[in-house]
């Protein structure tokens, strides 16, 4: 496990995120990170690769089993999953949607909020632009988490990138909420606000 600055000056409670990158052909990546203030710490990453002979139903079962186990072990505050890539053909898109469904089900069964991010959102958040390559994503994940080498396989790096994307979005929402809270004008004690004290003249 390692840690590295993620957002300069970010403060707040610890946030633990499970990122998932489901894949119809290939391995389903996963990664767990924890943010403590402005530090991002890697807790676990890997990829589930099943035999080519495994039926799709078996794949769904094993993905659900994997995510349920990770949720039980690490009790994340949120599950972040990559959304369906719209450029996929219909058959692949439907299968990917079903795989995302079992991930969302595992989160819902544990009463953990789940969030979806498009591939471009993830790339823009982690690498700074939506057209980043897999190699660039791996390098940025390594840098953001302070790792000596890039996480392998690439499916695991993609999952960690999804988790980092949610962490960035969560921190941005926290800062925005804090900013609004500071700008709120307190209501004078013992009375209503100035707007409510303005009298409206009656018509004749």
């Amino acid at each position: 496990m390692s840690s590295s600055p993620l957002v300069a000056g970010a403060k707040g409670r610890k946030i633990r995120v499970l990122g998932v990158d489901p894949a119809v052909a290939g391995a389903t990546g996963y990664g767990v990170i924890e943010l403590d203030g402005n530090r991002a710490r890697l807790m676990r990453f890997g990829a589930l690769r099943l035999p080519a002979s495994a039926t799709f139903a078996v794949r769904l079962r094993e993905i659900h089993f994997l995510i349920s186990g990770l949720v039980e072990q690490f009790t994340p505050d949120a599950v972040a999953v990559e959304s369906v890539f719209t450029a996929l053909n219909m058959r692949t898109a439907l299968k990917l949607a079903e795989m995302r469904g079992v991930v969302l089900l595992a989160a819902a069964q544990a009463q953990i909020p789940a969030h979806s991010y498009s591939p471009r959102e993830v790339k823009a958040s982690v690498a700074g632009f939506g057209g980043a390559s897999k190699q660039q994503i791996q390098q940025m994940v390594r840098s953001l988490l302070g790792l000596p080498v890039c996480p392998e396989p690439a499916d695991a790096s993609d999952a960690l990138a999804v988790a980092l994307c949610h962490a960035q979005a969560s921190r941005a929402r926290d800062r925005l909420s804090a900013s609004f809270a500071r700008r709120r004008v307190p209501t004078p004690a013992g009375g209503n606000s100035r707007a409510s004290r303005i009298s409206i003249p009656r018509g004749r």
Side-chain angles (χ1 to χ4, degrees), residues 185-202:
V185 179
T187 302
N192 297 324
S193 66
R194 179 178 180 274
S196 65
R197 296 199 305 269
I198 298 176
S199 61
I200 301 175
R202 297 179 180 177

Side-chain angles (χ1 to χ4, degrees), residues 74-153:
F74 293 100
T75 59
D77 298 286
V79 173
V81 58
E82 193 167 270
S83 61
V84 176
F85 186 39
T86 54
L88 296 172
N89 65 62
M90 183 62 69
R91 183 177 180 181
T92 301
L94 287 173
K95 284 189 174 183
L96 187 58
E98 291 176 335
M99 297 179 81
R100 291 181 71 255
V102 298
V103 174
L104 300 178
L105 174 62
Q109 287 173 327
Q111 299 183 346
I112 294 173
H115 305 263
S116 293
Y117 299 93
S118 71
R120 290 193 68 85
E121 284 180 306
V122 174
K123 292 176 181 180
S125 176
V126 174
F129 64 105
S133 67
K134 279 189 174 291
Q135 291 75 21
Q136 289 170 321
I137 292 297
Q138 280 186 298
Q139 289 292 341
M140 286 306 301
V141 167
R142 181 193 64 77
S143 176
L144 289 171
L145 292 174
L147 305 176
V149 295
C150 292
E152 292 286 353

Side-chain angles (χ1 to χ4, degrees), residues 6 12 44 50 70 72 95 98 121 125 137 182 189:
L6 180 61
R44 173 74 62 81
L50 296 172
L70 291 169
E72 182 178 0
K95 284 189 174 183
E98 291 176 335
E121 284 180 306
S125 176
I137 292 297
R182 288 194 297 268

Side-chain angles (χ1 to χ4, degrees), residues 149-179:
V149 295
C150 292
E152 292 286 353
D155 310 276
S157 281
D158 289 344
L160 288 169
V162 177
L164 287 165
C165 175
H166 176 73
Q168 298 272 26
S170 180
R171 283 296 189 226
R173 286 192 292 268
D174 287 347
R175 290 195 298 270
L176 187 61
S177 297
S179 176

